[in-house]
Amino acid sequence: QQKVQQSPESLIVPEGGMASLNCTFSDRNSQYFWWYRQHSGEGPKALMSIFSNGDKKEGRFTAHLNKASLYVSLHIKDSQPSDSALYFCAENTGNYKYVFGAGTRLKVIA
Amino acid sequence: EAAVTQSPRNKVTVTGGNVTLSCRQTNSHNYMYWYRQDTGHGLRLIHYSYGAGNLQIGDVPDGYKATRTTQEDFFLLLELASPSQTSLYFCASSGHNSGNTLYFGEGSRLIVV
């Protein structure tokens, strides 16, 4: 069974700081990866996807993928209080089953 | 943005009771999913479907049935609810490519007493 491990479980960063979230996966056949963000009381929403090795930048958010190392990360630059949320990484091996990690709870303090 | 609507948003039932959670998506997506969210476990897949009449087993299916009646509608059924099924349930949908993003509803909170 596919497994996705996220770290850390929780993270506190100062406003304007850098937040780094990590994810490892177990299936070398995994092809597609996402980061989802969930604010309190809402459903998860896709933040960004990454399908190729290397970095992908969207505004203040940068995702990094290394399939050989079974590793994906998310870096949030210039963190804002509105970034405080639960973050999930998710993978898909191409079989339409999306597997999620347990989540990282990020708190950005002013 | 894709729209996925769940009902009810909150439900309390007794042990042994019957519960049906409903989900409707209005984006003509082929795939629909039911997940449960529990602290420490993240989102775990219960059942999913690629079209009307189809059902695929997820990773935590025990105690749950599901039915996809139309392309838009996907139902999760708990026929003998147990306290272990107290959870936050999410429905999601996606298009027909594996690289498609999942779109989630707002969730249904179920408490089994």
Side-chain angles (χ1 to χ4, degrees):
Chain A
Q1 184 176 356
Q2 299 162 254
K3 288 191 181 297
V4 177
Q5 302 284 341
Q6 281 190 247
S7 65
E9 288 185 15
S10 63
L11 181 62
I12 299 175
V13 300
E15 184 176 0
M18 173 77 83
S20 295
L21 291 67
N22 307 296
C23 189
T24 59
F25 46 96
S26 63
D27 192 336
R28 292 192 176 277
N29 295 316
S30 296
Q31 298 180 38
Y32 308 103
F33 303 87
W34 289 262
W35 285 97
Y36 283 79
R37 181 166 71 179
Q38 183 183 27
H39 286 110
S40 181
E42 299 179 2
K45 291 183 174 63
L47 190 59
M48 60 191 300
S49 61
I50 184 165
F51 300 161
S52 300
N53 284 329
D55 293 337
K56 181 179 181 182
K57 183 178 179 182
E58 293 184 358
R60 296 184 293 109
F61 300 87
T62 299
H64 173 79
L65 175 61
N66 184 327
K67 291 184 183 180
S69 299
L70 305 175
Y71 175 76
V72 62
S73 62
L74 178 70
H75 304 278
I76 307 173
K77 179 182 171 182
D78 188 23
S79 297
Q80 302 297 308
S82 58
D83 294 327
S84 297
L86 185 57
Y87 289 78
F88 295 103
C89 63
E91 63 159 359
N92 182 319
T93 61
N95 62 358
Y96 300 98
K97 279 182 67 174
Y98 297 76
V99 180
F100 286 77
T104 292
R105 187 166 295 281
L106 172 65
K107 185 171 184 178
V108 181
I109 53 176
Chain B
E1 186 170 308
V4 180
T5 305
Q6 294 182 231
S7 63
R9 295 293 309 279
N10 295 281
K11 176 76 176 178
V12 179
T13 191
V14 296
T15 299
N18 286 348
V19 176
T20 298
L21 303 180
S22 303
C23 178
R24 166 165 283 199
Q25 56 95 6
T26 57
N27 300 284
S28 302
H29 283 168
N30 296 86
Y31 284 82
M32 295 185 74
Y33 302 78
W34 279 107
Y35 285 88
R36 60 177 290 174
Q37 182 178 7
D38 305 284
T39 302
H41 293 280
L43 293 155
R44 292 182 290 175
L45 181 62
I46 303 171
H47 291 298
Y48 63 110
S49 165
Y50 60 70
N54 175 263
L55 182 65
Q56 302 293 313
I57 305 300
D59 297 321
V60 290
D62 292 346
Y64 301 96
K65 293 184 179 179
T67 181
R68 181 92 176 265
T69 54
T70 66
Q71 186 171 25
E72 294 78 20
D73 298 303
F74 195 29
F75 300 93
L76 185 67
L77 297 85
L78 292 74
E79 293 185 333
L80 287 171
S82 73
S84 64
Q85 293 176 307
T86 293
S87 188
L88 181 57
Y89 292 87
F90 284 101
C91 177
S93 72
S94 73
H96 63 274
N97 293 320
S98 295
N100 285 149
T101 296
L102 277 177
Y103 292 90
F104 285 86
E106 293 299 299
S108 295
R109 183 168 295 282
L110 174 66
I111 297 173
V112 184
V113 298

